[in-house]
Amino acid sequence: MIPPLLWDAVVFSCLLTMLSTGLTLTYMTTKVPNFAHGTFATIGAYITLTIVSLFKLTPYLSIIPSFFIGGLIALALYFLVLKPLLARGASYLVLMIATIAYDMILFSGINIYADYLNRAFKVRTRLFILKSYDLRLFGQPGLAIVAPIAAGVMVLSLYLLLNKTRFGIGMRAAIENPSLAGVVGINVNLMYAFSWFVSGALAGVAGSFIPLWLMSNPDMGARLIVSIFAASIVGGLTSIYGAFIGGILTGMAEILGTGYLSLTLGTWVAPYRPIIPLAILVVTLMLAPQGLASLNWGALFRRVSARGSAA
Amino acid sequence: MALPLELMFVIDLLALFGIFAIISLSLNLEFGYAGIPNFGKLLAVAGGAFFIGAVPGRILAYLFGVINGLDYVKDNARIMTALAKILASNPLLSVVLLVLSLILAAVVGALLGFIASYPAIRLREDYLAITLLAMAEILRTIGYNYEGLIGGTLGIAVPDPFRWVGGELRYPLATAVIMIVTVIIFLYVERLSKSPIGRVLRAMRDDEVSAEAFGKDVVKLRMKTLMVGSAIAAVGGALYAFLAGSVTALGYNRVTHTFWPWVMVIIGGTANNIGVMLGAALFVTMRKLIIFYKSLLQPFLPFDVVWLEYLFLGLVLIIVLIYRPEGIIPEKPSRTLPPKRLQEIMKRVES
């Protein structure tokens, strides 16, 4: 049987890839490091809570509303906050601060909703977990099957979209050279807006899965954001496939690292889990600040194998 | 002798204003003048406060033999009672404790600023911002979970350097000390920002490449700025710990110690120290009023009023960023010469 720790790692890495891919996508298009991205996921988590506790439906139905609400919330950030700032020629520092302010608005919105849900319907809305509502598929918790499928579907559809459709090729052009893309008739604004929608939608879906596996709380976005950025930076912030790999590496390292360390050193290690993504972040920034994608793997491999044959 | 309620209200306001003014001035030095987006302001503030919770009391307890095989964290209450007696009868020791602790807290802050920024100091500012944010979260995690430092979630009491004045006057004295430190720090950052160093920082902020072309070491400047800024913020955190008389990890979070100073700096006026002071004053007063009227509003709301406040602050920050990015008092060009000299030169040029 597959040990539970590995399931934990698989599920968490899959969720992290969905988050880091979205973050990387908006970073590539609009060059904004979005500090509200973790909170987009929290919104998805509360949609699942609502579906499960209020409507008594299966938690997986929350994928659809989470997708659209997450997307619309990200779109609102782009249209109501970032676009007016970009129109004023704001520096990306200002844009970053604006995303933090937006994060604060979302954070208070989630808290207000959590308080309301708690008082009006007597639902537990803080430090809640919905693991018992999950389905069983092939004798495993449903999410262990659904999360890898969702991550796979995401990366496959993004690949097809970006490589096989006119729209996606236009989008890549808009990322690479916005002014030239504009000249040849690509609607760059539409491309940017679309990337924000997709980013928020992916975060919403990933977030809608979180309560099925992990303890959820209104402030979990703040904890997630460190892992998301670590995963995206490992991936280089320049390619969505990099973000995908980065998400898997960081997620695996975070869960397996914490798991094995608590086995060898004792369970007191567990609360220090956020140190692992930070360590990954620090090592990446110091050794390969452009991410794994920037490394010249061929040269590295040749050097290592040459050394091996010499010895 | 009991102080009137209104006076207590004002004193309380001044104390909070002082602490947040110190933190915001440090952020203004980093962000306003040098253009470094420090999203981990919490790191230095909590670092200073945690230091005060963890170290000075231990040193005193060993010096005076209070420790006697007791555990500093578990038997904190007993040790503090003994230390309070010693400090209450010894004003000189209290003053030495306060001054030394603040200086050491600044050193700890500078060190934290150095460590936290080291991995990303050579990269683009957004990488630096993310690293600083992550580092602050780590320090908070350690504060929560490692009980040997400041007692984890339960918190720890700190030796009180204001006890010797006794009872009612303790709080006013603490406030007076905070105000004095605030004024010193204000004068320091004001001088710094008007000095050649301040102009170099602004040159770096406005155009890194040209600053480098003129032979300025941008990496070193950034690192120095972060160290000085973190040292100042740590003093703010340390003062808050002394004022409150205790340190709890729960009291130090991203909203209070990173987001609020950002709001104060941006609303008051980025790269204008007077503006930032005004921003801090406005913010603290507004918060006091909100707390004051909270009980009136609460019965009508199905949620905690505190969230409404976060919502309001987030909105205000975005509106200011869009419609008045320079803040209430905008940045002013710094004069390199006194106004009189400038007028003389003007006259000479005209004639």
Side-chain angles (χ1 to χ4, degrees):
Chain A
M1 274 314 287
I2 300 166
L5 187 64
L6 197 60
W7 271 142
D8 275 352
V10 167
V11 170
F12 186 69
S13 334
C14 290
L15 298 184
L16 201 55
T17 54
M18 298 176 79
L19 290 164
S20 59
T21 306
L23 184 89
T24 304
L25 190 63
T26 47
Y27 188 87
M28 280 159 67
T29 51
T30 40
K31 306 281 176 292
V32 183
N34 178 12
F35 283 81
H37 203 72
T39 309
F40 291 171
T42 318
I43 291 169
Y46 275 85
I47 294 172
T48 305
L49 179 69
T50 314
I51 297 247
V52 168
S53 57
L54 243 56
F55 301 111
K56 315 278 180 223
L57 294 168
T58 165
Y60 290 106
L61 269 181
S62 122
I63 293 177
I64 299 156
S66 299
F67 184 88
F68 286 104
I69 294 174
L72 289 178
I73 291 214
L75 214 52
L77 169 60
Y78 177 62
F79 275 118
L80 301 180
V81 180
L82 299 177
K83 266 201 96 180
L85 283 172
L86 282 168
R88 289 189 63 118
S91 71
Y92 71 102
L93 291 183
V94 171
L95 298 176
M96 237 154 71
I97 298 154
T99 64
I100 285 214
Y102 193 69
D103 184 44
M104 209 45 63
I105 294 175
L106 292 180
F107 178 65
S108 58
I110 290 167
N111 274 298
I112 288 172
Y113 182 66
D115 275 4
Y116 170 74
L117 212 59
N118 181 264
R119 289 184 197 177
F121 302 98
K122 304 280 168 284
V123 176
R124 186 188 166 109
T125 53
R126 275 158 214 281
L127 294 174
F128 67 95
I129 187 160
L130 304 172
K131 214 164 188 164
S132 54
Y133 293 91
D134 199 356
L135 311 166
R136 304 282 305 175
L137 293 174
F138 312 111
Q140 298 294 345
L143 191 61
I145 314 284
V146 174
I149 293 177
V153 167
M154 169 201 76
V155 77
L156 191 69
S157 37
L158 278 176
Y159 170 78
L160 289 177
L161 177 82
L162 290 178
N163 291 295
K164 304 287 173 196
T165 64
R166 251 190 104 74
F167 185 83
I169 292 165
M171 189 150 169
R172 273 161 56 209
I175 289 168
E176 251 168 47
N177 193 336
S179 36
L180 191 59
V183 168
V184 297
I186 293 166
N187 188 345
V188 176
N189 271 327
L190 178 72
M191 299 297 165
Y192 285 1
F194 180 76
S195 76
W196 276 93
F197 180 85
V198 169
S199 168
L202 286 175
V205 172
S208 79
F209 293 148
I210 289 175
L212 296 177
W213 205 268
L214 300 163
M215 193 67 91
S216 305
N217 204 40
D219 68 354
M220 71 183 183
R223 273 179 300 145
L224 276 174
I225 195 77
V226 176
S227 300
I228 302 174
F229 267 117
S232 310
I233 287 175
V234 168
L237 281 171
T238 46
S239 110
I240 57 165
Y241 311 113
F244 186 78
I245 308 270
I248 292 199
L249 282 179
T250 313
M252 286 284 174
E254 195 175 331
I255 302 285
L256 295 180
T258 318
Y260 285 119
L261 283 178
S262 23
L263 280 180
T264 47
L265 300 175
T267 46
W268 62 269
V269 182
Y272 298 103
R273 190 177 128 177
I275 294 179
I276 292 181
L278 176 79
I280 295 172
L281 181 76
V282 167
V283 170
T284 315
L285 288 183
M286 292 180 79
L287 298 181
Q290 303 297 311
L292 290 180
S294 71
L295 293 179
N296 189 344
W297 289 104
L300 203 68
F301 182 73
R302 274 196 298 281
R303 202 189 298 164
V304 170
S305 56
R307 203 170 285 168
S309 61
Chain B
M1 183 187 79
L3 292 170
L5 211 61
E6 293 82 10
L7 194 60
M8 276 313 286
F9 185 83
V10 173
I11 288 172
D12 198 28
L13 200 68
L14 278 178
L16 268 182
F17 161 69
I19 284 158
F20 277 109
I22 291 171
I23 300 171
S24 315
L25 284 172
S26 80
L27 181 64
N28 189 34
L29 179 66
E30 293 161 348
F31 173 67
Y33 290 105
I36 303 165
N38 189 350
F39 286 174
K41 201 70 254 180
L42 165 68
L43 177 80
V45 179
F50 289 4
F51 171 78
I52 298 300
V55 179
R58 277 197 173 90
I59 292 175
L60 278 183
Y62 277 109
L63 275 183
F64 289 92
V66 183
I67 201 96
N68 266 338
L70 296 172
D71 184 271
Y72 184 72
V73 173
K74 284 191 192 108
D75 306 312
N76 190 251
R78 274 174 69 187
I79 291 173
M80 280 306 148
T81 330
L83 281 184
K85 258 185 215 146
I86 295 168
L87 284 170
S89 57
N90 200 339
L92 185 66
L93 179 71
S94 300
V95 172
V96 171
L97 165 74
L98 180 69
V99 173
L100 270 184
S101 302
L102 290 183
I103 292 171
L104 287 176
V107 173
V108 168
L111 218 65
L112 280 173
F114 175 78
I115 296 168
S117 61
Y118 186 78
I121 197 83
R122 285 172 180 75
L123 304 173
R124 242 171 68 122
E125 282 91 342
D126 41 356
Y127 288 93
L128 188 55
I130 294 155
T131 312
L132 289 168
L133 179 114
M135 292 282 185
E137 286 296 309
I138 294 301
L139 184 66
R140 201 177 61 111
T141 313
I142 293 172
Y144 277 171
N145 294 299
Y146 180 58
E147 288 183 1
L149 185 68
I150 48 153
T153 43
L154 285 176
I156 205 168
V158 297
D160 188 352
F162 309 115
R163 185 166 287 271
W164 53 275
V165 284
E168 282 282 331
L169 286 175
R170 182 202 172 264
Y171 209 80
L173 175 68
T175 308
V177 169
I178 290 173
M179 288 326 290
I180 292 167
V181 177
T182 311
V183 169
I184 293 171
I185 286 175
F186 173 76
L187 292 176
Y188 172 69
V189 289
E190 187 67 12
R191 295 283 297 181
L192 195 69
S193 62
K194 299 256 157 73
S195 72
I197 272 277
R199 293 196 292 274
V200 169
L201 290 182
R202 273 188 267 184
M204 176 175 85
R205 175 196 69 190
D206 291 338
D207 195 336
E208 213 177 291
V209 177
S210 15
E212 257 177 344
F214 280 103
K216 305 297 174 196
D217 188 342
V218 167
V219 170
K220 213 177 219 168
L221 275 172
R222 261 201 220 151
M223 186 143 254
K224 276 186 192 161
T225 314
L226 265 173
M227 284 173 75
V228 171
S230 300
I232 295 173
V235 170
L239 281 172
Y240 187 69
F242 277 131
L243 177 79
S246 66
V247 182
T248 41
L250 287 169
Y252 294 87
N253 56 59
R254 204 165 60 104
V255 176
T256 318
H257 297 99
T258 301
F259 184 64
W260 288 359
W262 272 99
V263 176
M264 294 172 207
V265 168
I266 288 172
I267 291 180
T270 316
N272 186 322
N273 290 317
I274 295 170
V276 168
M277 295 280 270
L278 178 71
L282 277 178
F283 184 93
V284 172
T285 318
M286 186 209 74
R287 262 195 61 77
K288 268 272 156 199
L289 290 177
I290 288 178
I291 293 169
F292 200 71
Y293 288 109
K294 203 169 155 177
S295 48
L296 290 177
L297 205 60
Q298 189 63 71
F300 304 104
L301 295 172
F303 52 82
D304 200 330
V305 182
V306 77
W307 310 125
L308 216 55
E309 187 193 331
Y310 289 7
L311 191 75
F312 175 70
L313 287 176
L315 279 176
V316 166
L317 189 52
I318 287 178
I319 290 169
V320 170
L321 281 176
I322 295 177
Y323 295 105
R324 198 177 163 83
E326 67 274 23
I328 299 174
I329 310 179
E331 182 179 2
K332 291 190 177 63
S334 70
R335 293 201 180 90
T336 43
L337 295 170
K340 236 184 211 167
R341 280 272 314 188
L342 284 176
Q343 274 168 3
E344 275 172 35
I345 294 171
M346 280 286 280
K347 251 181 230 161
R348 234 188 307 155
V349 171
E350 275 161 12
S351 66

